[in-house]
Amino acid sequence: MKNYTSVLLLFFLMTSASLLAQINFEKGYFITENGQKTECYIKNEDWINTPSKFEYKLTQNGETKILRIPNLKTVVIENAFKFEKHTVPFDNSDRDVSNLKFDRTPDYEDTTLLLNVLLEGKVDLYAYRDQDKKAFYFKKENGTLEPLIYNVYTNENRDILYNKRYQQQLLTEFPCTGITERKVIRVDYKKGDLLSFFKDYSECKGETAVQFSKPKKGTFHIKVFAGAYNTSATTDLGISAFFAKGVDTEATWSPTFGAEFEYIFPFNKNKWSAFIAANYSSYEGEGEFLDLSVRRNFKLEYSAIQIPIGARHYMFLNDTSKLFLSGAVVFDILLDAKGSGNVTIEKDDFGANAGLALGLGYSYDKYSIEARYLPGRNLLDNGSLSRSELKQFSITIGYTIF
C-alpha cells in the first residue's frame, strides 16, 4: 500500500464518518426578547465555552433553524442547561501573560452576555466562559446580578498575581453557620468550587438549590484487543553495501494483541477521550538488492512492545453504537531486532524512535473494531549510517472489560 493512497483513503473514511454521525436534539424551549415562548427540540452540544447561537427544530424530523443571541432572552433544556441574557459588569481586559495589566482592579464595562444559569436557590449562580476568559455572577432574592470579583494582573517584576476579592465577598455577603474564613480560602474561582459553596449556603438557609446541569464525571475504561498487522519496510543500507540503497522487504501479516486504558472526558457529550495502550508487534521480511551486479539477500526481523498515547473522538450513531477517529504518538520498547543476509545490522543499531498513528473504528456496546495506519518511521538509531523505515497497517477487534 503506497503512502499517498493510504492517507487519501483514510481521509475519505474520516470525512464519511463525520457525515454519518448522528446529531441529537433534546426537548426544551426558548423565550425571545418580546416574551414569546417556543417549545422545540434544541441541539445540545454540551459546550465548554458559552455558545454564540443555538440550532433547534420545531419537531424531531423538522427543519433545522438557527437561534441567535440578539433575539434571545432564555433557552432551556431540562436537566441539561439554562441560559439567560443579561447586561452585567464584565472585565474584558487581555488575559495573555505578556499583556497583563498592572492594576489589580478589574476594568468592568456593562456588557450584554449570555450567562449559564448554574444554580437557583437562596442565591442564584451564573457563569460566562469564552476561551481564556471566565466570569461568575450571583443574584440574591429580588436582587440584581453582581460579579464575583477576580482578576489576573502583574507587577514590575512581571510576576503573575491574582485578585481574589471574591473570597471576601463570599465571607461577608453570605454569613451562615459553617462558612468560615478557612473554608472560603479553599474555594477556587471555578465552577465546581463555587457550585459547592452556594449549594451549601442554600442548605444552611433551609432551601434546596436547583442545579440545571447534571454533575458530570469522566469515565475510565479498560479494553483488551487482538488482531493483525500488515507490515513492510524499506531499508537504506548506505555505504555498508557498496552504494546499494532502498531494499524493500516483503509485506507480511503478523499477530498483535494488547490492552488499552481510556479516559472519557466529561464534556461535549462524552465525545472525547485520551488513551494509552500496550501491544505486541513483530515483523519478519526478506528482500533482494544488486551489489556490483550481484544479487544479494537481506532479511529484517523486528519485535517490540508498542505504546500508543493519543486522543479519540466519538460520533454517536445511537445509544449503543458509534464511530470514532483516533490519533496517537507511538513509542516502541524494543524486544529484539536484527538485519541479516549479505548485510548485517546489529541489535545495538536499532533505536527507540517515535512514530504517528491514525485510526478509524466502530464500537457497538462493549465490542469494537479499529483500522489503524502507521506511516513510515525509522527503526535505526539516529547515529547509524543506515535507515530502515517500517510501515504498518493494523486491524484489531476489542472488548471493553471495564
Side-chain angles (χ1 to χ4, degrees), residues 63-81:
E63 177 188 359
T64 299
K65 299 182 179 182
I66 303 297
L67 178 64
R68 301 190 184 278
I69 306 305
N71 302 321
L72 176 67
K73 183 177 180 182
T74 305
V75 59
V76 176
I77 292 180
E78 295 295 338
N79 298 318
F81 64 73

Side-chain angles (χ1 to χ4, degrees), residues 4 71 84 167 182 328:
Y4 291 124
N71 302 321
E84 292 180 352
Q167 292 180 338
R182 182 178 179 181

Side-chain angles (χ1 to χ4, degrees), residues 88-257:
V88 291
F90 181 67
D91 179 14
N92 201 31
S93 57
D94 200 329
R95 303 296 172 88
D96 187 276
V97 173
S98 60
N99 296 322
L100 289 178
K101 65 174 190 173
F102 292 90
D103 188 357
R104 72 188 303 271
T105 304
D107 291 332
Y108 283 132
E109 293 182 6
D110 285 345
T111 308
T112 301
L113 301 174
L114 187 67
L115 301 181
N116 187 2
V117 185
L118 301 178
L119 195 74
E120 288 184 342
K122 192 68 176 178
V123 176
D124 301 341
L125 177 64
Y126 300 76
Y128 175 82
R129 178 170 178 173
D130 181 18
Q131 302 301 328
D132 61 338
K133 296 177 182 179
K134 61 181 178 180
F136 294 94
Y137 300 85
F138 68 90
K139 183 176 71 172
K140 295 182 179 180
E141 291 178 306
N142 303 317
T144 59
L145 271 77
E146 298 182 42
L148 287 166
I149 299 171
Y150 174 84
N151 187 42
V152 184
Y153 64 103
T154 190
N155 57 19
E156 293 180 355
N157 297 323
R158 306 306 296 178
D159 299 319
I160 299 177
L161 304 172
Y162 302 91
N163 176 3
K164 297 185 178 182
R165 174 67 180 172
Y166 72 93
Q167 292 180 338
Q168 185 64 37
Q169 289 176 280
L170 298 180
L171 190 62
T172 58
E173 295 275 353
F174 309 104
C176 201
T177 304
I179 296 181
T180 63
E181 182 177 355
R182 182 178 179 181
K183 179 177 181 178
V184 166
I185 287 175
R186 295 198 297 267
V187 179
D188 286 334
Y189 196 75
K190 60 184 182 181
K191 177 180 175 180
D193 284 17
L194 292 169
L195 269 172
S196 179
F197 176 87
F198 283 106
K199 281 194 289 187
D200 289 347
Y201 176 75
S202 289
E203 290 175 5
C204 182
K205 294 297 184 180
E207 186 171 331
T208 301
V210 176
Q211 183 174 341
F212 282 91
S213 60
K214 297 178 181 178
K216 300 170 187 175
K217 294 183 179 180
T219 55
F220 181 75
H221 296 300
I222 299 176
K223 179 172 70 177
V224 293
F225 59 89
Y229 268 118
N230 181 268
T231 308
S232 63
T234 299
T235 304
D236 178 356
L237 298 173
I239 61 173
S240 61
F242 303 101
F243 310 107
K245 296 184 178 182
V247 181
D248 293 325
T249 46
E250 60 190 325
T252 63
W253 287 93
S254 60
T256 184
F257 52 88

